[in-house]
Amino acid sequence: MQAVAWFADVGIADRPTVGGKGGSLGELTQAGIAVPPGFVVTTAAFEQFLALLEANAPLRELVEGLDPNDLGAATKLSEQLRALVLEEPMPDDLDTALTQAHQQLCADNQPVAVRSSATTEDAEDASFAGLQDTFLWVLDAASMVQKVRECWASLYSVESMTYRRKHAIPEAQVAMAVVVQRMVDAKCAGVMFTRSPTTGDKSVITIEGAWGLGSAVVSGEVTPDKWVLGKITGEISARDISDKHARQVPAPGGGIVEVENDADLRHSPCLTDDELMALREVGRKVERHYGKPQDIEWAVDKAGGVVLLQSRPETVWAVKDAQAKPVAPPSDNPLAHVMGIFGGGARP
């Protein structure tokens, strides 16, 4: 297994090696949906790095033994394991592979986003979203390599470890891939649900967005504008334009910074009706591709182009649907109903 895999070469079936986010971005790329180009630092790279650490002391065994309800113990273990990951030097062959991939992706010195992509995230029964780190507007290859290590370390955050223990996820099945992709200097960004997150209605698409990078919306720091559209008709049945007091934009030395919006901008809708229709079409296309409702992160660049940054299965209403399904009573003879249809009765 190579340390680096390009989006064009992977799909959702490659989750064990590229993680949920990496697999989704590869799947979208192969489906012809606009995604900022990039590559994935695979779990093979993570396992090579982890093997060096575990040669001195076990990590996975310590996490397996953690009581998820003991916050003090979780905090102490998190500090211990994250320090080990950050202090261990990157092996030379991995450093070279990542640096060469970065040069191929960003020959024009475009900044990148470095995003965690755990193998257990974005599953249909547990989204696992937001528990590991993401870094935006990373300016050069050396900084990218450092952020990859920080993403690996975030697998041992208190939230991530206790989540895994509460869901009894074996540590041997947990690994961290990392997505590296070109940054989008977004005019606005947000999330889109191809099923109503409040009512479960499958006939509508809900879009939420705000000015600047999508991190302000995902983190909940800005109340986004919200629209509800008919999935088939495109009719806009609800518009809720919020007071968007600030937006997140690239910082001069890398990373992001929050700036205040002026009075006109904070009360103006961040999307035009044409852009809403463009998002609706992309949302329908992604839902058709996967065959089920999706939870999508999107951005509109300064030229008005729509790109997707992530798509994962909608989980809240999917779980409710599964729990609401009637369960057939058990039968001693599973063929009894078939025999009944043909009048033969159940055989002894």
Side-chain angles (χ1 to χ4, degrees), residues 62-75 77 157-169:
L62 294 175
V63 179
E64 289 273 13
L66 180 66
D67 176 356
N69 299 310
D70 188 341
L71 182 59
T75 301
L77 182 60
S157 69
V158 172
E159 296 81 2
S160 184
M161 291 193 300
T162 54
Y163 182 95
R164 299 199 297 272
R165 299 313 332 130
K166 288 178 179 176
H167 287 77
I169 299 172

Side-chain angles (χ1 to χ4, degrees), residues 224-288:
D225 297 336
K226 179 178 177 180
W227 297 264
V228 179
L229 294 73
K231 189 179 293 180
I232 303 300
T233 65
E235 179 185 3
I236 302 174
S237 58
R239 297 176 188 265
D240 183 6
I241 307 305
S242 69
D243 179 358
K244 304 172 290 298
H245 69 282
R247 66 188 186 280
Q248 293 185 348
V249 300
I256 58 176
V257 62
E258 185 170 292
V259 297
E260 292 292 316
N261 290 327
D262 62 34
D264 288 341
L265 195 65
R266 63 191 295 168
H267 295 291
S268 298
C270 67
L271 288 167
T272 66
D273 284 4
D274 286 345
E275 289 166 341
L276 287 169
M277 293 305 120
L279 279 167
R280 178 180 71 97
E281 284 304 314
V282 174
R284 293 179 63 194
K285 185 175 182 179
V286 176
E287 184 179 88
R288 283 197 301 271

Side-chain angles (χ1 to χ4, degrees), residues 27-307:
E27 186 82 17
L28 294 172
T29 298
Q30 295 193 36
I33 295 166
V35 168
F39 62 85
V40 185
V41 183
T42 67
T43 56
F46 172 80
E47 294 290 354
Q48 179 182 342
F49 184 84
L50 192 66
L52 294 173
L53 289 173
E54 294 214 299
N56 297 319
L59 273 74
R60 284 172 163 155
E61 182 180 317
L62 294 175
V63 179
E64 289 273 13
L66 180 66
D67 176 356
N69 299 310
D70 188 341
L71 182 59
T75 301
K76 184 177 179 180
L77 182 60
S78 174
E79 292 173 352
Q80 174 189 346
L81 298 187
R82 295 187 76 153
L84 284 174
V85 173
L86 294 175
E87 291 169 2
E88 180 72 21
M90 182 71 81
D92 289 343
D93 59 333
L94 290 184
D95 190 284
T96 299
L98 270 58
T99 300
Q100 289 177 345
H102 183 274
Q103 290 171 343
Q104 183 176 339
L105 179 66
C106 299
D108 57 354
N109 296 320
Q110 177 75 12
V112 297
V114 181
R115 311 170 68 195
S116 60
S117 181
T119 53
T120 44
E121 74 177 34
D122 297 344
E124 294 184 21
D125 56 348
S127 71
F128 212 164
L131 297 183
Q132 285 81 220
D133 288 346
T134 283
F135 302 93
L136 303 180
W137 217 260
V138 179
L139 297 181
D140 54 48
S143 299
M144 178 272 297
V145 172
Q146 174 60 28
K147 297 305 182 189
V148 168
R149 286 153 45 97
E150 293 182 35
C151 283
W152 287 344
S154 70
L155 193 61
Y156 302 105
S157 69
V158 172
E159 296 81 2
S160 184
M161 291 193 300
T162 54
Y163 182 95
R164 299 199 297 272
R165 299 313 332 130
K166 288 178 179 176
H167 287 77
I169 299 172
E171 281 300 296
Q173 296 178 11
V174 176
M176 176 70 87
V178 180
V179 164
V180 179
Q181 64 183 143
R182 290 170 67 95
M183 275 296 309
V184 176
D185 190 5
K187 178 194 78 170
C188 62
V191 295
M192 170 166 56
F193 305 93
T194 65
R195 182 178 188 180
S196 170
T198 53
T199 68
D201 186 350
K202 295 181 178 178
S203 71
V204 301
I205 290 178
T206 299
I207 298 174
E208 299 179 358
W211 298 112
L213 302 174
S215 45
V217 175
V218 174
S219 65
E221 294 184 23
V222 172
T223 301
D225 297 336
K226 179 178 177 180
W227 297 264
V228 179
L229 294 73
K231 189 179 293 180
I232 303 300
T233 65
E235 179 185 3
I236 302 174
S237 58
R239 297 176 188 265
D240 183 6
I241 307 305
S242 69
D243 179 358
K244 304 172 290 298
H245 69 282
R247 66 188 186 280
Q248 293 185 348
V249 300
I256 58 176
V257 62
E258 185 170 292
V259 297
E260 292 292 316
N261 290 327
D262 62 34
D264 288 341
L265 195 65
R266 63 191 295 168
H267 295 291
S268 298
C270 67
L271 288 167
T272 66
D273 284 4
D274 286 345
E275 289 166 341
L276 287 169
M277 293 305 120
L279 279 167
R280 178 180 71 97
E281 284 304 314
V282 174
R284 293 179 63 194
K285 185 175 182 179
V286 176
E287 184 179 88
R288 283 197 301 271
H289 179 77
Y290 284 110
K292 61 188 70 174
Q294 296 290 298
D295 170 357
I296 295 168
E297 296 176 23
W298 56 267
V300 175
D301 63 25
K302 296 291 178 62
V306 173
V307 295

